[in-house]
Amino acid sequence: MNARTNEVGVPLLHTTPGFATDANGSCPIREVLDRVGDTWSILVILNLQPASMRFNALKRSIEGISQRMLTVTLRSLERDGLVSRTVRPTTPPEVEYALTGLGQSLAVPIAALGAWAAGNRDSLRAAQAAFDAAA
């Protein structure tokens, strides 16, 4: 399905399949943003993208995350099929987390958002400063 575009050729988001609501009033983008739009999920995905990691190594790599919050985030990502959890029968058990193929596929849209953020950070900051100065 081709999305319509506005006068400058930018896709009209409400015409793309990701924004179409289903019978329950939900849309795909809302479901994905509910998952990856929280404080920690993208940081977990970012850190697991190069290679699998054990829990404590992952915790050390994400500044400010608590053990409980990392556990909750990993469980949610595992439930969504984005992260896999492997337990090795050692004493104590080794638990390793890795991105699944579905989780790895998030790298492309996350990278695009990151590129947009890097390219527009100065403009955003200037707009914020102008707004604050006018207030």
Side-chain angles (χ1 to χ4, degrees):
M1 174 179 177
N2 289 336
R4 294 186 319 237
T5 61
N6 65 14
E7 58 277 356
V8 291
V10 175
L12 293 173
L13 296 176
H14 71 275
T15 66
T16 63
F19 293 89
T21 56
D22 61 17
N24 297 324
S26 181
C27 66
I29 193 68
R30 179 68 179 262
E31 292 176 26
V32 170
L33 288 176
D34 285 347
R35 165 59 16 240
V36 299
D38 66 43
T39 304
W40 303 109
S41 291
I42 289 195
L43 293 175
V44 169
I45 291 166
L46 175 78
N47 281 278
L48 289 178
Q49 205 237 347
S52 61
M53 296 178 82
R54 292 178 61 183
F55 183 90
N56 285 328
L58 186 56
K59 184 177 178 305
R60 285 190 301 272
S61 71
I62 302 173
E63 183 180 341
I65 195 166
S66 68
Q67 182 167 331
R68 180 185 180 288
M69 201 68 248
L70 180 56
T71 298
V72 167
T73 301
L74 285 166
R75 282 187 186 151
S76 293
L77 292 170
E78 184 180 8
R79 179 178 180 262
D80 292 338
L82 301 173
V83 167
S84 65
R85 179 179 186 261
T86 303
V87 180
R88 292 195 177 71
T90 60
T91 306
E94 273 184 28
V95 180
E96 191 170 82
Y97 296 89
L99 288 183
T100 62
L102 186 61
Q104 287 285 353
S105 72
L106 274 173
V108 172
I110 290 171
L113 183 59
W116 184 91
N120 290 286
R121 178 175 21 189
D122 291 340
S123 296
L124 288 171
R125 287 179 175 171
Q128 291 165 355
F131 182 90
D132 293 346

